[in-house]
Amino acid sequence: MTAQIHPQAIVDPLARIGEGCVIGPFAVIGAGVEIGNHCRIGAHTVIEGPSRLGAHNHIFQFASVGTAPQDLGYTGEPTALEIGSHNTIREFVTINRGTVKGGGITRIGNHNLLMAYCHVAHDCCIGDQVVMANAATLAGHVSVEDHAILGGLSAVHQYARVGAHAILGGGTMAPLDIPPFMMAAGNHARLHGINVRGLARRGISRETILQIKRAYRLLFRSGQRLDAAMDEVLQRGLNAPEVAYLLDFIRSSKRGITRP
C-alpha cells in the first residue's frame, strides 16, 4: 500500500513516509522526519525533524510537531522527537523537540490523546494512554506517567512529574509533583483524595484500592512528617505493588510533593 500524498503537500525528499499513510493538502514534512505505516497527517500540519513517529498515528490539521524548542539556550543542535503508535494529536497542538541539556529527546508513548491546543515542551516524557484535554500545557522536562489525565487549561511546571493514574482537574496549576493515583485541582494544586473511579475502570482490585486509601490517610492526613508516615505505611503491612510504587515516587521527588 503506497502512501497517499496530496499533490499540494510539501514532503522533503529526505523524509521517510510509511506504507498506507495519508498526507493532506498543504502539509509540510521536513527532512529527517520518519512516519510509520498507516498514519494520517491533516491539512496544514507541519512536522519538522529529526522526528520519528510510529504507526497508526492521526495528526489533525494545523498541528505543529517536532519544531525547535522554545528555550533561550537552544542554538540549533540536532535534537529529536520520538512518538510511538496509535496516538491522536488534535488541532493546533504544539510539540517541541528536546534540548542538549535535557537529554536531547522529547518522547511520547502509545495510545495517547492530545486534544486541541495542547502544548508539549522540550524534553518532556509522556507515557502510554495519557489524556491531555484542551489547552493542557507541559513546561520543559515534565514527566507524565501512564494513564494520567490532565484537565483542560491545566499546566505543569518544568521538571515536575505527574504520576500514573493521577487526574488533574480543569485549570489546575501544578508546580510540584502529583503523586500517582491521586486527584488534584486548584491554583496552586492540592490533593483531593484517590482517583477511585479511574483505578476501578482500569481493573485495579478493590483490595489494592483500599490499601492505597489507607496509605493516603497515613501519608497526608495523619499529621506526621512524610518520612515517618512512609515508615508507618510499611509497618502497617500495606505491601501492594501500587503502594510500593507510590512510596518510591515520593522518595524520588526533586521538586516536592503536592499535598491536600
Side-chain angles (χ1 to χ4, degrees):
M1 296 178 61
T2 58
Q4 301 178 41
I5 301 176
H6 195 280
Q8 290 180 302
I10 300 174
V11 179
D12 191 281
L14 298 179
R16 297 173 59 184
I17 310 299
E19 296 180 354
C21 288
V22 178
I23 299 179
F26 307 108
V28 179
I29 312 297
V33 174
E34 300 179 26
I35 300 177
N37 297 339
H38 304 290
C39 290
R40 298 176 62 187
I41 311 299
H44 296 276
T45 294
V46 174
I47 306 179
E48 296 183 2
S51 295
R52 182 163 61 243
L53 285 68
H56 297 280
N57 292 299
H58 188 179
I59 301 179
F60 282 70
Q61 57 269 22
F62 301 105
S64 179
V65 176
T67 49
Q70 300 175 77
D71 185 290
L72 292 174
Y74 178 73
T75 57
E77 299 88 353
T79 56
L81 167 68
E82 293 184 357
I83 297 177
S85 300
H86 297 278
N87 295 289
T88 299
I89 298 172
R90 294 300 305 245
E91 298 86 350
F92 298 101
V93 168
T94 54
I95 304 174
N96 296 157
R97 301 192 308 273
T99 62
V100 171
K101 65 182 179 182
I105 299 178
T106 300
R107 288 188 174 92
I108 297 176
N110 308 297
H111 296 279
N112 299 297
L113 170 58
L114 278 62
M115 298 185 194
Y117 292 97
C118 286
H119 176 64
V120 178
H122 57 85
D123 305 295
C124 287
C125 182
I126 297 176
D128 299 334
Q129 298 187 30
V130 168
V131 175
M132 294 177 61
N134 299 76
T137 296
L138 306 181
H141 313 275
V142 167
S143 173
V144 181
E145 298 182 350
D146 298 349
H147 300 284
I149 298 175
L150 279 64
L153 299 169
S154 59
V156 183
H157 194 282
Q158 62 181 351
Y159 294 101
R161 300 178 298 162
V162 179
H165 302 277
I167 181 168
L168 275 62
T172 298
M173 300 290 110
L176 305 177
D177 292 350
I178 306 294
F181 318 120
M182 305 296 171
M183 298 186 297
N187 181 13
H188 291 354
R190 301 184 71 87
L191 298 184
H192 294 269
I194 307 300
N195 183 18
V196 174
R197 183 171 297 181
L199 294 175
R201 285 175 176 170
R202 296 178 190 116
I204 306 297
S205 70
R206 182 174 180 274
E207 292 74 18
T208 297
I209 293 173
L210 287 174
Q211 284 206 29
I212 295 171
K213 283 184 174 181
R214 293 178 184 131
Y216 173 83
R217 286 195 291 267
L218 288 170
L219 293 168
F220 300 115
R221 295 294 189 183
S222 66
Q224 302 182 73
R225 289 174 54 91
L226 196 53
D227 52 357
M230 288 193 290
D231 290 340
E232 187 168 351
V233 168
L234 298 175
Q235 293 167 10
R236 295 283 187 94
L238 302 177
N239 54 9
E242 289 80 2
V243 174
Y245 163 61
L246 171 60
L247 297 181
D248 288 342
F249 185 96
I250 293 172
R251 291 190 192 98
S252 63
S253 177
K254 296 179 180 178
R255 284 200 54 79
I257 294 294
T258 302
R259 303 183 186 224

